Every structure is written in C-alpha cells, then in structure tokens.
Amino acid sequence: KLNMEETMKSLLDDSFESAMTLTNSGAPQVPGRYVLPPSQRPALGSSLGTREITLPIIDLSLLHEPLLRSSVIQEINMACKEFGFFQVINHGIPPSVVRDALDAATQFFDLPVEEKMLLVSADVHKPVRYGTSLNHSTDRVHYWRDFIKHYSYPLSKWIDMWPSNPPCYKDKVGKYAEATHVLHKQLIEAISESLGLEKDYLQEQTEEGSQVMAVNCYPACPEPEITLGMPPHSDFGSLTILLQSSQGLQIMDSNKNWISVPYIEGALIVQLGDQVEVMSNGIYKSVIHRVTVNKDYKRLSFASLHSLPLHKRISPAPELVGNNAPAYGEFSFNDFLDYISSNDCVQQRFIDTLKKSNS
Ligand code: OGA
Ligand code: NI
C-alpha cells in the first residue's frame, strides 16, 4: 500500500515532463501545450520581428578610476533610462568561476530524472525548487525551460539545502553566487548615484536583502519558431545579473520592438527589476525580456535576482518624487510571491498593479 507521500509524488511524476526529457526522447515536434498563439511567436529570422541595434556595454573597471567614475555613471544613467539594461565587462568575476558554475549546472541538468525530482515543487515560496516551464502545475501554455532556483544569500543559511548532486555543485555555484553578490553591491551603488541619490541609498535598504539564483536550462528544441523558453516578463527584484552561455535573450525597447542581446564572451548582463522602477518613481523602468530557443544546442543561464529583504516594502524615493504624488504603491518581495501564486502573470505584470492612476 502506498502512503500519502508516495501517492502524491507519483501523481506529480505523471504530470511532470521536463524539456530535457522531451529533447532526449528525440521528438520531432513540441507537444501541443508548448505551441504559442501566432501573435506571441518569436518571429525568428524575420527582420521585422527582431532588430539588431547597438546595446550599451559598460567597462566596470573604470568605476574605480577617480577621473572617469562620473562619466561611467553618466553612461549607466543613459543605459538605464533608455533600456533598463546594459552589459558589463571587466566586472571582476574570474572566468574560471564562471566556467565552473556553468559546468556544475550542465552536470545537474544531465542527472537522471529521479534525482532531479527530489527537489521538484510547484510552491513558489520554497527556498530550493526544481521545475520546468514557469510552474508545471498551473501554466496554461508551457515554456521550453527547466530550472533550479535557490535562495543564495546569506549563503551559509541556504547552501545545505542545495542539490548534493553533482558533488561539486555547492562549491562551484556557491563561489559564483558569492561573487555576484559582491558585484551587485557595486552596481547598486552606481545606479543610486546615477539617479542623483546618495551612493548608499539603496545599499542601506538592500543590506539584508535576498538573492535568488535561477539556473536555467533551455535544451535544443525541435520547433523554436512556435515556442519560447520564457514569456515576456520583467524581474521583480532590484536588479538581475545574468550570465548566458550563448545568445537567446531578447529585450523590448521603448518602441516595443524585440532586440536580440548579443553574446559577448566574458560579459555579464545587468537588468533593472521592478523594485528599481518603483524606487526611482518610474525614472528608470524595469526591462521586459523573453527567451528564444534554438534547434541545435542547449543554452544555459544563471539569473541572479537581487532584491530587498522578503518582507521589506519598497516605495518611491522621496527625493525623486518631489512635490508630485508618488507614481507607484509600495511592495515587498513577499507581496510579489503571493501575486504570482494566485494570478496569471503572463496576462498582467505585477508592477502594473502598483501604478497609480494619476501617473
Ligand atoms: C529569468 C530570465 C533569462 C535567460 O530567469 O528571469 O529572464 O536568458 N532569464 O535565461
Ligand atoms: Ni527574467
């Protein structure tokens, strides 16, 4: 006789089929649940659907040059205003740390299904969670993506709950998580400064903040024209540091055109999240982005999502609101998690629920 737990688990196993499993089975087509309505398809290769334009690249080592810092801050200001996005080079994270993290992730996703299922959950409040699509149990359309997400700061609090297979995972991904946490502090300072705020304005608020690492795997897909790896969305945190193993990310520009983000060896991507949009009172906007997949190879990414402490509410900075009414209501990371547990965030973005009608 099966006990309750086992029954639940086998039920879950039945409804759960990862993108990796599908790719490995060699299916010539994607199952119907992955097929997007024509208006939401990525229009790969069409010059109308995507455009190549020059996106900002910032050399972070120049932030440490007293004579150059203010011009780098100015570049960051322009990138944040125009795109809510930029790439960084000379960011200080050694290539070997990046390589090791990608290697550990590759090994994790290559594990047998049963091993990964030990960490599966549909509960977005879980600190460690393996899954596929966005949420396999509630998604109406599915996305060609497997992931493992884990809380990552403070590292010692969470690392024991991380995957114990492959054996190198905790060490290699842990080093990368620590390095991104250091980098995010420099970025938050520079972004505060670029808004004309005190350098430590956000720092104070993010000191005990959270870091969630989403490790994403987009296996080769038989029909990349009719599906996506992730739907259009913005990230909830203050900022996201994204590492990609190859091209696939697209961002939406102010004319609502999709722009493919070029792969630059050694670079990391910085994306503004909803908390910076609210804090800046809309001077900066969080960037809307999506992920395309391809026929030929697997793409990996690490999205390190930095945000305020779970229950801390963020609101527009009084210095930036001036005498006007604030354009946004306040919110916390926990409010966001509650929202995505009970709403379809592909239909409506969480941040739109915070906008005041006077803005
Ligand atoms: C995310 C995300 C982009 C990517 O995890 O929120 O947008 O390229 N990832 O994987
Ligand atoms: Ni994202």
Side-chain angles (χ1 to χ4, degrees):
K1 229 165 55 182
L2 289 175
N3 67 28
M4 188 62 180
E5 208 179 332
E6 279 172 287
T7 313
M8 289 300 293
K9 193 156 173 291
S10 61
L11 276 174
L12 209 56
D13 284 353
D14 268 359
S15 68
F16 186 93
E17 189 174 34
S18 74
M20 210 48 180
T21 303
L22 287 163
T23 296
N24 291 343
S25 75
Q29 287 181 319
V30 299
R33 64 182 185 278
Y34 289 93
V35 179
L36 287 164
S39 65
Q40 293 170 29
R41 294 179 189 172
L44 296 174
S46 134
S47 54
L48 286 175
T50 61
R51 298 190 315 153
E52 288 282 344
I53 67 163
T54 313
L55 292 172
I57 299 170
I58 292 177
D59 182 343
L60 275 195
S61 64
L62 303 179
L63 276 178
H64 311 295
E65 306 271 346
L67 292 176
L68 296 175
R69 185 172 170 98
S70 68
S71 72
V72 181
I73 298 286
Q74 186 56 33
E75 282 177 43
I76 290 177
N77 175 274
M78 279 163 29
C80 289
K81 270 205 183 121
E82 190 168 356
F83 299 105
F85 163 100
F86 51 94
Q87 303 214 54
V88 290
I89 55 170
N90 296 325
H91 45 67
I93 301 185
S96 60
V97 171
V98 169
R99 226 181 301 118
D100 283 356
L102 286 169
D103 176 50
T106 304
Q107 290 187 48
F108 174 79
F109 289 107
D110 281 341
L111 289 173
V113 181
E114 307 78 62
E115 179 76 32
K116 291 181 281 191
M117 290 306 278
L118 296 172
L119 298 169
V120 79
S121 176
D123 177 2
V124 297
H125 291 272
K126 275 264 167 73
V128 177
R129 183 162 85 90
Y130 166 71
T132 189
S133 187
L134 297 177
N135 191 333
H136 70 271
S137 68
T138 54
D139 290 347
R140 271 177 284 165
V141 174
H142 282 240
Y143 297 92
W144 198 262
R145 162 214 191 214
D146 297 341
F147 65 87
I148 170 129
K149 275 188 187 184
H150 36 65
Y151 287 15
S152 304
Y153 184 84
L155 192 61
S156 56
K157 181 168 171 190
W158 306 111
I159 197 165
D160 291 340
M161 299 167 74
W162 289 13
S164 26
N165 248 330
C168 66
Y169 189 95
K170 290 186 175 116
D171 180 50
K172 288 181 167 176
V173 179
K175 291 220 166 70
Y176 178 71
E178 282 179 320
T180 45
H181 196 265
V182 171
L183 174 59
H184 121 274
K185 285 191 172 181
Q186 294 172 23
L187 288 165
I188 278 289
E189 278 183 11
I191 289 168
S192 301
E193 234 180 297
S194 77
L195 281 164
L197 297 168
E198 289 299 318
K199 194 167 141 186
D200 54 8
Y201 179 84
L202 269 176
Q203 187 64 44
E204 254 169 50
Q205 315 220 23
T206 48
E207 198 56 60
E208 293 309 313
S210 67
Q211 176 183 15
V212 179
M213 189 70 83
V215 188
N216 302 307
C217 174
Y218 308 93
C221 174
E223 293 183 289
E225 314 78 18
I226 58 174
T227 184
L228 283 171
M230 271 188 110
H233 69 281
S234 58
D235 296 342
F236 66 84
S238 51
L239 61 85
T240 300
I241 299 175
L242 184 79
L243 161 66
Q244 57 175 353
S245 67
S246 56
Q247 189 165 320
L249 179 72
Q250 294 186 330
I251 63 171
M252 191 186 261
D253 72 8
S254 51
N255 300 318
K256 299 201 185 294
N257 289 312
W258 288 108
I259 306 170
S260 291
V261 175
Y263 171 75
I264 301 172
E265 169 107 46
L268 292 168
I269 292 163
V270 179
Q271 305 193 120
L272 298 188
D274 294 345
Q275 291 182 348
V276 166
E277 178 167 339
V278 170
M279 191 276 305
S280 74
N281 205 36
I283 295 174
Y284 292 168
K285 299 283 195 291
S286 57
V287 60
I288 297 180
H289 53 284
R290 68 180 187 184
V291 179
T292 58
V293 289
N294 78 83
K295 256 191 153 86
D296 303 314
Y297 51 85
K298 172 170 71 192
R299 174 174 177 271
L300 293 173
S301 75
F302 279 75
S304 181
L305 295 110
H306 301 268
S307 85
L308 270 61
L310 191 61
H311 292 283
K312 174 141 183 163
R313 291 225 151 94
I314 191 163
S315 50
E319 296 87 328
L320 301 177
V321 172
N323 295 326
N324 309 320
Y328 299 83
E330 50 179 36
F331 84 106
S332 70
F333 179 15
N334 201 53
D335 296 335
F336 170 81
L337 290 176
D338 289 343
Y339 179 83
I340 63 170
S341 329
S342 49
N343 291 275
D344 183 344
C345 27
V346 179
Q347 296 297 323
Q348 192 185 21
R349 290 167 69 208
F350 172 68
I351 190 158
D352 292 335
T353 68
L354 302 170
K355 286 185 182 148
K356 304 282 191 203
S357 51
N358 59 12
S359 67

